[in-house]
Amino acid sequence: DTAVSQTPKYLVTQMGNDKSIKCEQNLGHDTMYWYKQDSKKFLKIMFSYNNKELIINETVPNRFSPKSPDKAHLNLHINSLELGDSAVYFCASSHRDGGEFFGPGTRLTVL
Amino acid sequence: GENVEQHPSTLSVQEGDSAVIKCTYSDSASNYFPWYKQELGKRPQLIIDIRSNVGEKKDQRIAVTLNKTAKHFSLHITETQPEDSAVYFCAPNYGGATNKLIFGTGTLLAVQP
C-alpha cells in the first residue's frame, strides 16, 4: 500500500525516559514533517525536512531531535520525557508544492 | 507570526443541510489554502485545496472559495451526511512557502441524522 506509516501506534512510558518514533513514506515525496496534536486538538508543526535537509525547526525543546537517514524516512527521538510531552505525534509528507499526507499518528503517554 | 482563525468552532446541522466553515488568515504572502478532515481517532486527511490564482474549486459535495483581498477562505459542504461529522481544519501556508502550513483551531461538525 502506498502510504505514510509510523511506529509505534501507542507509546506509554515513564518521565525521564528516552523514546523514538519512526516514520516512513513510500509516496516518493520530497518533504517530510513532524506535527504535535495536543489534547485540545491543536495541530502544530515541529519539524520539516526536504531531501534529508532540515528546513523548518519550530520552537521545540532540544530534547526533541529529528533524524532523516534518507528522504523516505524521518524519525523523532525524544530525550528526558516530560508529562507535557503527552500528545499524538503525526508524521506527514508532501511534494514541494502539494498537500500533506499524514501518518496514522503515535499516541504518546508520559506517566 | 501567522494568525489563523476558524469560525465557528462547533457546528451542528441536520442531515441534508449545508455547512459553511470560514478561515481567516493574516499572512498576505499565503498562496496555498487546503482543508483537512479529521475523524475521531484518525489522521487528518486533505479533502480539498485551492491556490491563490483561483477563486473557487468544487469536488462533488464540497467546495472551497477564496477571497484573497479579505484574507479568508471557506469550506462549503452541501447535502451533509452523518459521515461528514468530523473536525475540519484549514491550513494556509506561511510566507508563500508551501511546506509550512499553519493549522487553524478546528471546527467540530456534527451532522444529525
Side-chain angles (χ1 to χ4, degrees), chain B residues 26-110:
Chain B
S26 60
D27 183 6
S28 55
S30 294
N31 57 11
Y32 176 65
F33 308 94
W35 283 96
Y36 286 81
K37 175 184 180 183
Q38 187 177 26
E39 295 176 39
L40 187 62
K42 302 278 180 70
R43 72 190 81 190
Q45 288 193 291
L46 177 67
I47 55 171
I48 196 165
D49 57 11
I50 196 169
R51 297 185 191 273
S52 56
N53 56 345
V54 176
E56 182 174 354
K57 184 176 175 182
K58 242 180 159 177
D59 183 3
Q60 299 181 5
R61 295 186 299 107
I62 59 172
V64 55
T65 56
L66 172 64
N67 184 329
K68 210 157 186 279
T69 306
K71 292 189 206 155
H72 63 75
F73 62 112
S74 296
L75 176 69
H76 305 255
I77 307 174
T78 57
E79 299 169 37
T80 52
Q81 298 166 5
E83 50 265 38
D84 294 329
S85 296
V87 178
Y88 290 82
F89 293 96
C90 63
N93 66 341
Y94 178 69
T98 308
N99 56 16
K100 183 173 178 180
L101 304 183
I102 306 297
F103 279 76
T105 48
T107 296
L108 176 61
L109 173 64

Side-chain angles (χ1 to χ4, degrees), chain A residues 4-78:
Chain A
V4 182
S5 58
Q6 305 178 218
T7 53
K9 195 166 166 63
Y10 300 96
L11 192 47
V12 181
T13 188
Q14 299 286 335
M15 271 175 59
N17 284 350
D18 303 338
K19 290 292 177 188
S20 292
I21 308 172
K22 294 188 174 182
C23 178
E24 177 181 2
Q25 56 95 3
N26 60 5
L27 297 163
H29 289 162
D30 305 317
T31 309
M32 295 185 72
Y33 314 78
W34 278 108
Y35 283 86
K36 179 180 180 180
Q37 187 170 43
D38 62 23
S39 56
K40 292 184 178 163
K41 305 297 183 194
F42 294 137
L43 257 172
K44 198 151 190 296
I45 190 167
M46 299 172 69
F47 302 102
S48 172
Y49 271 73
N50 182 258
N51 282 321
K52 301 196 300 173
E53 185 185 337
L54 179 66
I55 53 171
I56 294 172
N57 183 350
E58 293 296 290
T59 47
V60 176
N62 57 14
R63 298 181 294 104
F64 290 78
S65 50
K67 279 195 172 48
S68 182
D70 56 59
K71 74 174 199 175
H73 295 85
L74 180 62
N75 304 323
L76 183 65
H77 188 76
I78 316 170

